[in-house]
Amino acid sequence: MTTPFPTSAPSRRSFLRLAGLAASLPLLGEGNLAWAALQQSTLKNKAPRRGLPTLPSGAVAINANENPLGPCSAALAAIYAAALTGGRYDANGGLDRLTQTIAKQTGLPADHIAIYAGSTEPLYYSVMAFTSPAHSYVTADPSFETGMFAAGAAGAKITRVPLNASYAHDIKAMVAADPTAGLIYICNPNNPTGTLTPREDIVWAADHKPRGSVLLVDEAYIHLCDAPSVLDLVAAGKDVIVLRTFSKVYGMAGIRCGMAIGRPDLLEKLQRFGMNFMPVTAVAAATASLNDADLVPARKKITADTRNQTFDWLRANDYKFIPSVSNCFMIDTGRNGKDVIAAMSARNVYIGRTWPIWPNSVRITVGTPQEMAKFQTAFAAVMQGTRSSAPPRPSAA
């Protein structure tokens, strides 16, 4: 029989060890993983130790699931105003206002919400809190990889469960994968496939998961589709933590703001691993974005229109892909995906990475209509084996 929440009462020695380990871990989020893959394909593994590569002029960067629209105008104005108070940690109570805004919009108490600089931190801390050598980490395959890095550092067993025939999480297989699981990670919509797992499956998982385990539901891309959230499971007191970010539909990947939403006792376990002050500019931009009622529906439509036009083109040209409801999708190239990535970069179009379970598939981010038109031209040429004159490689500086 498993012990509920095995890290709820660690010894001082074990807590200090885990806290020190968490502090030493590199927080590898989407940006790190996307650009590391780019560097490996274009710099032949001579990646810089710090920073990201500088792309050549006119490059199309559709590799990191970023939103090319950037912050909305209200967020930009809020950033400027907040910057004037940047000499103080939080002179005007911005973090409390953001928390109260989220609480009002979600219908949850403020103590169920923890704000972080993006959602990578709470993802890492959730894995560190609820996995261990005795309590495994269960994830879909393919899915977002970050949690596996944290689980490996925690010494936890990592169990990968392939997506089902409809490219959703195979929830029953994930729940049955390990009776001693500490954390089950569900990214919905999924990264990299952009596909949905039915809400009723996640509800089933919350009711049937191993005793003492936690469901970590990553809703980074939820605003890009019409699927319902599972925040009501948090409201019902379930062993569920929901992650949200402002990096996708809100266009704030470089500004860094996200959150973990869950019962206070669960969030407290995350906070043991780190809870730094938030940048006042990120807090202000996030609050302004939430108060812009037109932002989500407008950007969801823009993304969907561009994505669907790209899908129409792929179908017309008999390319195999997985239909998505998000801002990314997978194409089966029928050849080594890393070779396709390199060939695309030679045409100044930088696409996403591959996953070991599908080495012939590459992930594409939905960019602007102009960027996707350039992608189509380059992809058609690469798939037809046409040579190109390569632009300068990205700078490692």
Side-chain angles (χ1 to χ4, degrees), residues 174-204:
M174 293 176 71
V175 167
D178 188 345
T180 65
L183 189 141
I184 300 173
Y185 175 70
I186 301 169
C187 187
N188 200 41
N190 190 35
N191 176 13
T193 57
T195 49
L196 279 173
T197 296
R199 170 190 155 77
E200 56 267 26
D201 289 0
I202 302 176
V203 173
W204 185 92

Side-chain angles (χ1 to χ4, degrees), residues 3 6 9 25 80 107 119 139-140 142 186 189-190 232 251 266 298 336 338 357 360 379:
T3 302
L25 284 175
Y80 176 79
S119 58
T139 183
I186 301 169
N190 190 35
D232 60 311
L266 298 181
N336 186 287
K338 292 182 179 180
I357 194 172
N360 291 345
F379 189 73

Side-chain angles (χ1 to χ4, degrees), residues 95 98-99 102 113-118 257-260 275-276 278 283:
L95 186 60
L98 174 57
T99 303
I102 296 167
I113 299 159
I115 310 298
Y116 292 87
C257 189
M259 70 195 84
M275 201 70 190
N276 206 348
M278 283 291 297
V283 168

Side-chain angles (χ1 to χ4, degrees), residues 350-394:
Y350 298 89
I351 60 175
R353 56 192 183 277
T354 64
W355 271 252
I357 194 172
W358 294 346
N360 291 345
S361 294
V362 295
R363 192 192 66 189
I364 311 297
T365 298
V366 178
T368 65
Q370 295 77 18
E371 289 173 333
M372 300 314 289
K374 293 179 180 179
F375 157 76
Q376 292 169 20
T377 299
F379 189 73
V382 167
M383 295 304 288
Q384 293 165 9
T386 308
R387 292 185 175 273
S388 90
S389 96
R393 285 180 172 172

Side-chain angles (χ1 to χ4, degrees), residues 289-336:
S289 297
L290 289 174
N291 287 326
D292 183 344
D294 296 328
L295 188 156
V296 170
R299 292 188 168 194
K300 181 166 66 173
K301 184 179 186 307
I302 290 169
T303 301
D305 288 348
T306 307
R307 180 186 68 226
N308 292 338
Q309 188 281 327
T310 303
F311 288 174
D312 289 343
W313 179 83
L314 291 169
R315 291 188 188 97
N317 288 276
D318 295 324
Y319 295 125
K320 297 179 181 179
F321 69 98
I322 299 173
S324 160
V325 298
S326 185
N327 70 335
C328 63
F329 58 94
M330 295 289 278
I331 297 180
D332 181 354
T333 65
R335 65 184 76 171
N336 186 287

